[in-house]
């Protein structure tokens, strides 16, 4: 048992040492409690939403040679900002320095209240290898932790993991022993960039497992709560995408064991505050006669790690328990005991989906740009559980914000709380499908398809169908398909053309009876061409704008046209299309999916000649290493150089065998999308 503080100090002004949606989330609770707020930011973020919502803002300096992320990684700068702004407490959020004991020590040494566990607990759990040793001593089952240099063939497959931090960074699956050195190097580079610690280790990789975590809340008087559990098995690149509470299909005895293991671990380190113990539970479909053939057979759970901070997915726990976890973090830091009687039991079911600026069809490539529209009309609450059942939105961005590559691509978390799991899934899928997110490609359509997939939706009765490999292989290819099929895209193009014509008409001096784009040669239709996000060209032809069939599309009739809304009847079905031009694109939202269209210029400007051997940067980012030299012969698939974008490493590989003719970039150089990175002369006459 830890010793309670002699004189608990109420928090008057709190600094949030973070940015984005978690900063906004903490600020909301502070406003509700009457606590003054201080935001910090990197240069260039002066107009960020979290900065605007705080009472005071302080710019963090960027160290020489560093970037915007580095501004958030200096404990001394954070404490100096708190003292300068008159704050008496610091909340770290998650990511950045949230699990860095140096910040906890610096905050308390300055006489400020640290809203989190003590530095000793952070240090004890900060190294995943030491955390495993502590868990083993507390009687919690753990998996082996191997040094990369000690892995043998019989140990494969293994997962290379960063010893510090999380969020999928510094993780690589290795199935061949020859691939281990390169995978470990990549993991070290990502871990160093994201957490400032390049240490990695290996553990056995479980092909089919359920990722279950238990929410811990402990006070300084010896009370430790297990506030339910969350299932976080739907992941990409070992980073969570969909989370829910309670975990579906989990046997009650296994649930109790996980809760008790989490409490035992927290007691073993004298934990105070909110934290999460994460476990991997092997699962396989049952054989005939073994639980009915469809039920999952669960193996022995093993402890993975303990996150000594608030989790990204904490809103699902808040929805089903009614607790404000941030409020209790602050109250515990002030010395208040947890209420007698234990945590409230879960009520209903909650599911969270992480909306990322990334393209699942292109290896989860980050996408950047300006958010010309951002709205989830179904959301009835922000940063707090909805009244009754409904949809909660925790956004880190607003319309007009620029999404770059310096920070994590998470745009927002959308959470649905329902009477049961089916109710929550239906609400969340509908909320995401109806969201308006324009200007940046996202994983929204994949999320909707995942939530509606029988293998996921049936996990409460067929738990063996849900596991950490859910988003992989052919299933991923099917889930990543856009919601809008080619037929919907073609109707969207027609709606865009009609709305554009109506908008042009409203701007011009046309008599009331003459339609826009009127021609004195009625045999010719007006044709507008667009390209979709996939590069497919669609054409829209029409002769009139209202009240008549479209001769070029049999079975299609125009019901009504406005500059921002078109109603079409196609094959007897009436559909409404909301049209919004933004910059060089036109965004069309439909009940069957959203479509981004780029008008094709009938008289395009001449394009600059491009060397056929040049390999352009697929996204903005920073070149971290160049792995080949000019004149070197390379094979197909060989890594030429590496880039970092949104704190993940991306390899630029040779599409075919050839010789390196030029490397116009160097390590450390920040490049824009399309910048030539390498130039190859391919074997044979033609480039791939």
């Amino acid at each position: 048992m830890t010793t309670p503080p002699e004189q608990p100090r109420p928090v008057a002004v709190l600094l949030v040492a973070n940015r984005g949606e978690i900063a906004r989330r903490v600020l909301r609770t502070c406003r509700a409690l009457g606590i003054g707020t201080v935001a910090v930011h990197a240069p260039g973020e002066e107009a960020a939403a979290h900065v605007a919502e705080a009472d005071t803002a302080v710019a963090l300096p960027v160290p020489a040679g560093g970037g915007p992320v580095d501004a958030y990684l200096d404990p001394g700068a954070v404490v100096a900002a708190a003292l300068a702004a008159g704050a008496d407490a610091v909340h770290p959020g998650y990511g950045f320095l949230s699990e860095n004991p140096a910040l906890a020590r610096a905050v308390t040494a300055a006489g400020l209240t640290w809203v989190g566990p003590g530095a000793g607990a952070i240090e004890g759990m900060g190294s995943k290898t030491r955390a495993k040793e502590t868990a083993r001593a507390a009687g919690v089952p753990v998996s082996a932790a191997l040094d990369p240099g000690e892995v043998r063939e019989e140990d494969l497959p293994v997962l290379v993991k960063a010893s510090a931090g999380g969020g999928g960074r510094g993780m690589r699956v290795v199935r061949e022993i020859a691939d281990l050195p390169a995978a470990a190097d990549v993991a070290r580079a990502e871990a160093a960039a994201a957490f400032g610690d390049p240490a990695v280790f290996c553990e056995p990789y479980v092909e089919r497992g359920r990722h279950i975590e238990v929410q811990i809340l402990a006070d300084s008087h010896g009370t430790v709560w297990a506030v339910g559990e969350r299932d976080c098995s739907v992941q990409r690149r070992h980073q969570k995408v969909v989370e829910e509470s309670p975990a579906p299909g989990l046997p009650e005895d296994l649930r109790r064991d996980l809760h008790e293991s989490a409490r035992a671990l927290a007691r073993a380190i004298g934990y105070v505050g909110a934290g999460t113990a994460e476990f991997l539970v092997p699962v396989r479909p049952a054989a005939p006669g073994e639980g009915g053939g469809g039920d999952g057979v669960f193996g022995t759970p093993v402890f993975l790690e303990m996150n000594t901070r608030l989790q990204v997915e904490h809103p699902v726990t808040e929805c089903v328990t009614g607790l404000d976890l941030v409020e209790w973090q602050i109250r515990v830091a002030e010395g208040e005991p947890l209420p007698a009687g234990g945590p409230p039991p879960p009520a209903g079911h909650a599911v969270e989906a992480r909306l990322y600026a990334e393209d699942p069809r292109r290896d989860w490539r980050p996408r950047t740009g300006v958010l010309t529209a951002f709205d989830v009309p179904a959301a009835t609450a922000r940063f707090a559980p909805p009244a009754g059942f409904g949809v909660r939105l925790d956004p880190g961005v607003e319309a007009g914000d620029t999404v770059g590559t310096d920070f994590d691509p998470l745009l927002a978390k959308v959470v649905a709380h329902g009477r049961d799991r089916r109710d929550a899934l239906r609400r969340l899928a509908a909320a995401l499908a109806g969201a308006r997110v324009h200007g940046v490609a996202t994983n929204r359509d994949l999320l909707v398809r995942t939530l509606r997939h029988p293998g996921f939706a049936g996990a409460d009765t067929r738990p063996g169908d849900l596991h950490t490999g859910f988003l992989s292989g052919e299933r991923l290819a099917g889930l990543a398909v856009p919601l809008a099929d080619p037929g919907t895209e073609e109707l969207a193009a027609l709606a865009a053309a009609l709305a554009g014509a109506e908008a042009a008409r409203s701007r011009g001096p046309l008599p009331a009876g003459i339609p826009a784009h009127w021609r004195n040669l009625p045999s010719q239709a007006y044709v507008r061409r667009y390209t979709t996000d996939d590069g497919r060209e669609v054409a829209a032809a029409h002769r009139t704008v209202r009240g008549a069939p479209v001769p070029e599309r049999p079975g299609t009739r125009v019901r009504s046209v406005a500059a921002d809304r078109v109603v079409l009847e196609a094959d007897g079905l009436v559909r409404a299309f909301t049209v919004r031009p933004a910059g060089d694109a036109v965004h069309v939202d439909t009940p069957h999916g959203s479509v981004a269209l780029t008008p094709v210029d009938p008289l395009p400007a001449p394009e600059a000649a491009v060397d056929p051997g040049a390999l352009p940067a697929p996204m903005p980012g920073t070149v971290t290493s160049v792995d080949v030299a000019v004149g070197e012969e390379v094979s197909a698939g060989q890594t030429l150089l590496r880039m970092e974008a949104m704190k993940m490493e991306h390899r630029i590989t040779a599409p075919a065998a050839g010789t390196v003719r030029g490397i116009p970039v160097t390590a450390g150089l920040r490049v824009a999308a399309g910048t030539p990175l390498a130039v190859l002369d391919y074997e044979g006459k033609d480039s791939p």
Side-chain angles (χ1 to χ4, degrees), residues 286-659:
E290 187 183 27
D295 297 338
V297 176
F298 292 93
T300 301
V302 293
F303 169 73
L304 290 176
E305 62 187 22
M306 184 169 184
N307 293 298
T308 54
R309 54 172 168 81
L310 199 65
Q311 290 282 90
V312 178
E313 55 274 18
H314 74 274
V316 295
T317 298
E318 293 186 326
C319 285
V320 297
T321 63
L323 294 172
D324 183 330
L325 291 177
V326 174
E327 177 179 345
W328 276 107
Q329 282 186 297
I330 295 172
R331 292 189 182 280
V332 165
E334 293 175 324
E336 185 172 330
L338 292 170
H349 198 94
V351 186
E352 171 181 296
R354 301 190 192 188
L355 187 65
Y356 284 108
E358 63 186 11
D359 191 341
R361 292 170 294 168
R362 296 177 177 86
D363 195 29
W364 310 101
R365 182 178 298 171
R367 301 298 294 265
T368 60
V370 177
L371 276 170
T372 55
F374 185 80
D375 183 29
V376 182
T380 57
R382 281 191 165 208
F383 303 108
F389 300 114
V391 177
R392 163 178 173 171
L393 178 66
D394 283 25
V397 295
E398 298 292 341
D401 287 350
T402 298
V403 179
T405 59
D406 291 315
F407 300 102
D408 188 273
L410 179 64
L411 300 178
K413 302 177 305 194
V414 188
V415 189
H417 184 205
R419 288 181 294 274
D420 52 30
R421 188 168 186 264
R422 184 175 65 174
D423 183 32
L425 291 179
R426 181 169 54 197
R427 290 173 186 267
L428 183 55
L432 287 164
R436 291 190 288 270
V437 186
H438 300 164
V440 177
T442 72
N443 65 336
R444 185 267 302 275
D445 290 4
L446 174 134
L447 293 173
V448 174
R449 289 191 180 277
T450 297
L451 294 167
R452 292 172 174 170
H453 190 278
F456 179 79
D460 45 351
T461 57
R462 299 178 60 91
D465 291 346
L466 178 60
H467 52 84
T468 52
F470 189 85
L471 294 182
S472 62
E474 294 182 1
R475 177 184 283 159
L476 172 60
L479 293 174
V481 172
L483 292 175
D485 59 23
T488 299
E489 289 180 340
E490 291 168 6
L491 288 174
L494 176 60
L498 293 168
E502 187 67 14
R505 165 188 168 77
S506 66
R507 295 192 298 266
L510 292 174
I514 298 179
H517 298 308
W518 175 82
R519 295 170 179 267
N520 60 4
L521 186 60
S523 62
Q524 295 295 316
Y526 179 77
V527 179
R528 195 75 170 97
R529 299 184 183 279
Y530 302 89
T531 56
T532 67
D533 193 46
D534 282 336
R536 190 171 77 92
E537 185 171 297
V538 290
H542 61 91
R543 288 184 172 87
T544 184
V545 295
R546 51 166 73 89
V550 180
E552 292 73 28
R553 288 190 57 87
T556 302
R557 177 182 295 272
V558 179
R559 284 292 192 95
S560 66
V561 176
D564 59 354
R565 190 173 187 271
V566 175
V567 179
L568 300 175
E569 178 183 338
D571 300 324
L573 302 177
V574 178
R575 301 181 182 180
F577 299 79
T578 302
V579 183
R580 178 184 174 123
D584 296 331
V586 180
H587 297 275
V588 183
D589 293 308
T590 84
H592 301 278
S594 298
V595 181
L597 300 168
T598 302
V600 176
D601 192 336
L603 298 173
E607 294 184 357
V610 177
D611 192 315
L615 298 178
M619 68 205 82
T622 301
V623 177
T624 55
S625 70
V626 176
D627 299 303
V628 295
V630 174
E632 183 175 338
E633 294 184 357
V634 296
S635 57
Q638 182 176 338
T639 300
L640 305 177
L641 51 84
R642 304 166 196 268
M643 290 180 60
E644 180 189 287
M646 294 183 176
K647 308 312 295 177
M648 296 294 286
E649 183 174 273
H650 304 267
R651 297 188 308 146
I652 307 301
T653 60
T659 304

Side-chain angles (χ1 to χ4, degrees), residues 126-145:
S127 167
K128 293 182 176 65
T129 52
R130 289 199 302 272
K132 287 175 180 286
E133 295 171 0
T134 302
R136 186 179 292 108
V140 178
V142 300
S143 60

